[in-house]
Amino acid sequence: MSKETSDNTYPARREFLRHSLGLIPVAALATTGVASAILAQPESAVAAPAKAQAYTPSYFTAEELAFVTAAVARLIPTDNMGPGAADSGVPEFIDRQLNTRYGSGGLWYMQGPFQPDAPKELGYQLKLSPQEVYRLGIEEANAYCQKQWGKAFAELDQVKQEQALQDFDSGKAAFESVPATTFFAMLWSNTCEGFFSDPIHGGNQGLAGWKLIGFPGARADFMDWVERDERYAFPPVSISGERG
């Protein structure tokens, strides 16, 4: 992943994302293995580092927001195809979602018994809310990076950040308070949700995600295009009326 390669040699990571997400519902991504596949794709040589958005978090601490910004910038990086997750507001999306009933676990059944080792098909089996998964997971992730490389995740170079994310995804990194795989799966799922959400929720700023996959957005009617084997010809429209 650290070697510079031409676009003719390897597909860009977000090209892989664009083709994959055209077929896979976002809600199902956390259990499909698409995250690992995307992390394994070499980036285009023209990829540019993501820049943090000017946003004051309502749930995350500054250190936590730095982690999330750096992590989502590696999961969906900015490149020649357009803004990545960090540059399109995904950290803001995640932070805002954690201050909703989703973040506090109010939308889930959160009573015992808890069976952490139960098959994934049975759904979420931990007593931790998403707020707690993020708070504990980021703390453990930074501790892991400090132990491995002597720096917090956000301070690492891109190659080491991607290695760390792979360690979280595979379970190679052993967390004590929350499984690393659970933390990574939630981060990856929320990153995709934020990248393809309506901008009213903080992510997908500039309609970057929708433009990437050719999604029409909140247009009143596009059913006449559903059966066509061609890309939608008109720009996406957000709930607020913003056009891409």
Side-chain angles (χ1 to χ4, degrees):
M1 287 181 292
S2 62
K3 296 181 179 179
E4 292 191 353
T5 56
S6 68
D7 290 337
N8 294 328
T9 304
Y10 296 108
R13 179 175 304 171
R14 291 170 71 250
E15 178 70 14
F16 179 89
L17 181 76
R18 182 169 68 85
H19 287 298
S20 298
L21 296 187
L23 302 174
I24 304 172
V26 170
L29 287 172
T31 58
T32 60
V34 173
S36 295
I38 288 178
L39 282 172
Q41 296 293 328
E43 289 185 52
S44 166
V46 298
K51 300 176 183 178
Q53 299 294 311
Y55 172 70
T56 301
S58 59
Y59 176 75
F60 288 134
T61 65
E63 182 180 27
E64 290 168 344
L65 184 66
F67 173 92
V68 172
T69 300
V72 303
R74 304 302 348 119
L75 293 174
I76 306 178
T78 292
D79 63 11
N80 61 314
M81 296 183 70
D87 284 331
S88 59
V90 169
E92 176 179 344
F93 170 86
I94 296 175
D95 179 71
R96 288 170 57 178
Q97 290 301 306
L98 291 179
N99 265 338
T100 66
R101 290 185 63 205
Y102 162 78
S104 64
L107 300 179
W108 298 350
Y109 180 79
M110 296 295 290
Q111 305 299 317
F114 301 102
Q115 300 292 336
D117 298 325
K120 292 182 179 179
E121 290 78 5
L122 297 182
Y124 187 73
Q125 293 287 326
L126 299 181
K127 62 180 179 180
L128 301 173
S129 68
Q131 290 177 344
E132 294 168 319
V133 170
Y134 271 97
R135 183 133 290 163
L136 296 171
I138 292 173
E139 180 180 1
E140 296 246 28
N142 278 330
Y144 177 82
C145 293
Q146 286 281 2
K147 183 177 180 180
Q148 295 293 116
W149 299 290
K151 296 180 179 179
F153 179 87
E155 299 171 351
L156 297 174
D157 61 46
Q158 294 180 4
V159 174
K160 290 185 176 64
Q161 286 178 347
E162 296 197 5
Q163 182 59 59
L165 290 171
Q166 290 184 14
D167 291 351
F168 305 155
D169 184 26
S170 66
K172 178 181 178 180
F175 291 2
E176 294 183 3
S177 54
V178 58
T181 53
T182 298
F183 170 62
F184 179 86
M186 186 172 292
L187 174 64
W188 167 240
S189 179
N190 292 161
T191 298
C192 293
E193 291 163 357
F195 192 61
F196 295 106
S197 70
D198 190 278
I200 196 173
H201 302 295
N204 191 23
Q205 294 174 5
L207 305 179
W210 290 355
K211 288 190 286 188
L212 178 68
I213 63 174
F215 181 64
R219 284 184 173 273
D221 185 14
F222 53 87
M223 293 305 296
D224 56 324
W225 283 80
V226 171
E227 299 299 327
R228 299 187 187 186
D229 187 20
E230 56 185 296
R231 187 178 180 88
Y232 189 68
F234 304 102
V237 179
S238 71
I239 291 174
S240 67
E242 177 186 358
R243 293 176 180 269

